[in-house]
Amino acid sequence: MDRLIDRILTAAIMLMPLSLLSCSDTGVPDGVAFRNYVVDFRLDGSDFRFKPEGGSVSATVSASDEVSWGLSDVPDWLSSSKLSGLGNGRFSLSAQANPSTEKGRVAAFYLEGSCELFNDRKTINASQERSKAWVSLNSTSVVLDGSAGRTCLPVSSNTSDWYVKVSSDGASSWLGASNQDGNILQLDYTANVLDVSRSATVTCYTADGAFSLNVIQCVAGIDVSAQVLSFDY
């Protein structure tokens, strides 16, 4: 009886390495031993963050020589210098500028590695902040004729969602300012019947900043063509 038990135990010990090999297709943790060697598959980071203007980061894959690896489900706002490799490798992830001023963006994609005895997949997370909204004009001042009229000034901005305020004592009674289609600052003004010029400040605001324009209106009847500060259209 004892000899029979000894034989059963010996047979079980001899079969143990084979049982280890048979479970390889279910995925295993980093550095799992198979018989006399270890399958290595690691990534030096799994969470990459990008600034609104975009940029690049580098990642290193540490893998056994027989492990082939590849990236999958990479979002369209990211590009990789290398999509696949064998053994140790390195790749760079580059993000495009985020055009949205309202929200950032996130994505999850994968690094997959495999060989005859190994199959594993690692999740990579990427995120990018939203862009800050800005607005500007080609000049900080403009001089208007003394007669009533309307002036439209081109605006540069990465958002159409900006608003305007006129600030100065009594300026709202003679000067109006408005956002037209997100790319034009429209000034509407009455004739200046005073014997002195008058001025006001028009400020364009976004969620993240502002741009101010100094508006001067001459006395009616004065030719201001030589005084108007030019705009590069």
Side-chain angles (χ1 to χ4, degrees):
M1 183 69 179
D2 291 341
R3 293 181 63 186
L4 177 60
I5 294 175
D6 289 342
R7 290 178 180 177
I8 293 174
L9 290 175
T10 300
I13 293 173
M14 293 178 65
L15 290 173
M16 283 181 65
L18 296 177
S19 66
L20 284 174
L21 289 175
S22 66
C23 67
S24 62
D25 59 352
T26 62
V28 293
D30 296 342
V32 171
F34 294 99
R35 289 184 180 258
N36 296 322
Y37 67 94
V38 172
V39 174
D40 190 22
F41 181 57
R42 290 172 288 127
L43 181 66
D44 66 350
S46 60
D47 190 1
F48 300 101
R49 300 181 181 183
F50 297 90
K51 295 181 179 180
E53 62 270 23
S56 298
V57 296
S58 295
T60 300
V61 178
S62 299
S64 300
D65 293 343
E66 68 274 19
V67 174
S68 61
W69 53 266
L71 295 172
S72 62
D73 297 338
V74 180
D76 57 7
W77 55 273
L78 282 177
S79 60
S80 177
S81 61
K82 191 175 185 180
L83 292 176
S84 61
L86 182 65
N88 293 331
R90 188 178 182 87
F91 60 89
S92 295
L93 292 173
S94 299
Q96 303 171 10
N98 187 356
S100 176
T101 59
E102 298 179 357
K103 61 181 180 180
R105 50 190 179 184
V106 296
F109 55 105
Y110 306 98
L111 175 69
E112 299 178 281
S114 63
C115 65
E116 183 180 358
L117 304 175
F118 177 84
N119 185 21
D120 193 15
R121 184 172 78 166
K122 301 183 183 301
T123 300
I124 303 174
N125 296 302
S127 60
Q128 187 177 32
E129 302 171 21
R130 70 174 181 86
S131 293
K132 290 185 177 181
W134 57 267
V135 60
S136 68
L137 285 84
N138 292 329
S139 179
T140 57
S141 298
V142 63
V143 180
L144 305 175
D145 190 278
S147 58
R150 171 177 291 173
T151 296
C152 293
L153 305 174
V155 170
S156 297
S157 180
N158 64 346
T159 177
S160 60
D161 188 20
W162 50 272
Y163 62 96
V164 188
K165 285 186 177 181
V166 177
S167 59
S168 185
D169 293 340
S172 59
S173 64
W174 65 270
L175 178 64
S178 59
N179 174 351
Q180 298 295 316
D181 300 324
N183 57 9
I184 294 293
L185 173 62
Q186 180 174 298
L187 303 177
D188 293 285
Y189 41 92
T190 62
N192 184 5
V193 297
L194 304 176
D195 56 0
V196 294
S197 62
R198 55 189 180 183
S199 65
T201 300
V202 174
T203 304
C204 304
Y205 293 92
T206 70
D208 301 302
F211 184 90
S212 294
L213 177 71
N214 185 35
V215 179
I216 302 170
Q217 187 181 33
C218 294
V219 177
I222 296 179
D223 181 9
V224 298
S225 60
Q227 303 180 51
V228 177
L229 299 182
S230 64
F231 284 79
D232 296 326
Y233 293 96

